Amino acid sequence: MNADQKMSQSASASAYGARAGTGTGAGSGTGDGDPPGRVRRFWSERRVPAGIVALVIAAVSGLLLYDVAAVRSGRRAMRWRDWLADELASRPLDNAWTVGGAALLAVLGVWMVILAMAPGLRGLLPMRVPVPEPESGPEAEAEAAVRAGIDRTSAGLVLRDRAMEVPGVRSARVDVGRRRIRARALAHFRDLDEVRADLDTALHEGIRQLGLARPPALSVHVRRSAKSKG
């Protein structure tokens, strides 16, 4: 890339940033004419993690109960329980291993509480719920009660196809996050400002048509392809 192309691309990026700051983005929730609705995220059922934790706790509890019953019947305790009892009785509270083990258990407990309170299913974006008209019947109310969502990967593919329809775009990549959508494109002809403006408009329209309950903010980056530079 020569000096003129670098200067052209830098000026293009700065001009686009000024326009983007004054425009209405997809993350603002305005300008698309859709009523704002409060839609909660989907909650994971967490059957597999809950089952694994339950099995581990059941196994440890069963082993401990068996050892206690064996000691009550006159047998010796298992070596691991004798070793653990000796260590807990001989080590002071300010011992590094004692403090480290307690801190690890505390962090593990806090982590499990956070996971239990978090919705999960980060890859699924909730969609808007249609608001039924006052004169609508029970069918419209039943339709409004249905919740819908779209996978972030699928949303990215849809928006990438939208980006490829923009004249001048040679290739595009769209990464959809929960709070931001990052679009990167290579332009092989037309001015970068024009390609970026058309790409921004097309992606905003694509995001609006996805019908997301919380449309993420859009970030667009366009650069010249290597073949076009040559």
Side-chain angles (χ1 to χ4, degrees), residues 38-51:
R38 183 175 180 81
V39 180
R40 296 184 179 274
R41 287 177 54 190
F42 290 91
W43 279 76
S44 174
E45 296 182 354
R46 297 184 174 91
R47 294 179 180 177
V48 175

Side-chain angles (χ1 to χ4, degrees), residues 10-45:
S10 300
S12 173
S14 61
Y16 173 75
R19 289 200 303 269
T22 58
T24 303
S28 61
T30 60
D32 54 3
D34 296 313
R38 183 175 180 81
V39 180
R40 296 184 179 274
R41 287 177 54 190
F42 290 91
W43 279 76
S44 174
E45 296 182 354

Side-chain angles (χ1 to χ4, degrees), residues 8-229:
S8 175
Q9 186 165 349
S10 300
S12 173
S14 61
Y16 173 75
R19 289 200 303 269
T22 58
T24 303
S28 61
T30 60
D32 54 3
D34 296 313
R38 183 175 180 81
V39 180
R40 296 184 179 274
R41 287 177 54 190
F42 290 91
W43 279 76
S44 174
E45 296 182 354
R46 297 184 174 91
R47 294 179 180 177
V48 175
I52 294 175
V53 173
L55 288 176
V56 171
I57 293 177
V60 174
S61 301
L63 183 62
L64 184 61
L65 181 61
Y66 170 79
D67 190 51
V68 171
V71 171
R72 293 294 184 180
S73 63
R75 299 180 181 180
R76 289 194 57 182
M78 293 183 180
R79 292 182 179 181
W80 66 268
R81 200 158 73 91
D82 285 339
W83 174 83
L84 182 61
D86 293 341
E87 290 293 328
L88 292 177
S90 60
R91 291 183 181 273
L93 294 179
D94 58 350
N95 183 267
W97 287 100
T98 304
V99 175
L104 179 62
L105 291 177
V107 171
L108 182 61
V110 172
W111 180 62
M112 293 183 67
V113 171
I114 293 176
L115 289 181
M117 297 177 63
L121 297 179
R122 298 175 60 88
L124 193 62
L125 299 176
M127 302 175 69
R128 286 192 301 268
V129 177
V131 179
E133 298 293 336
E135 298 83 5
S136 59
E139 294 182 358
E141 295 180 358
E143 181 181 354
V146 176
R147 298 187 61 192
I150 183 172
D151 184 72
R152 288 183 355 194
T153 303
S154 301
L157 293 176
V158 172
L159 295 178
R160 187 197 65 182
D161 293 342
R162 274 300 191 106
M164 293 300 297
E165 296 176 357
V166 175
V169 174
R170 182 183 185 90
S171 63
R173 176 180 176 181
V174 180
D175 298 322
V176 179
R178 291 179 49 239
R179 294 182 176 87
R180 181 172 293 276
I181 297 176
R182 293 177 173 85
R184 300 175 179 86
L186 293 178
H188 59 107
F189 68 92
R190 298 181 66 199
D191 184 69
L192 289 180
D193 282 340
E194 296 178 358
V195 175
R196 187 177 287 107
D198 292 347
L199 184 60
D200 181 76
T201 301
L203 290 180
H204 272 105
E205 179 64 19
I207 294 172
R208 188 191 68 81
Q209 292 182 356
L210 288 177
L212 300 178
R214 300 181 184 90
L218 178 61
S219 174
V220 179
H221 301 277
V222 180
R223 62 187 179 91
R224 193 72 67 186
S225 63
K227 294 184 178 181
S228 298
K229 296 175 187 175

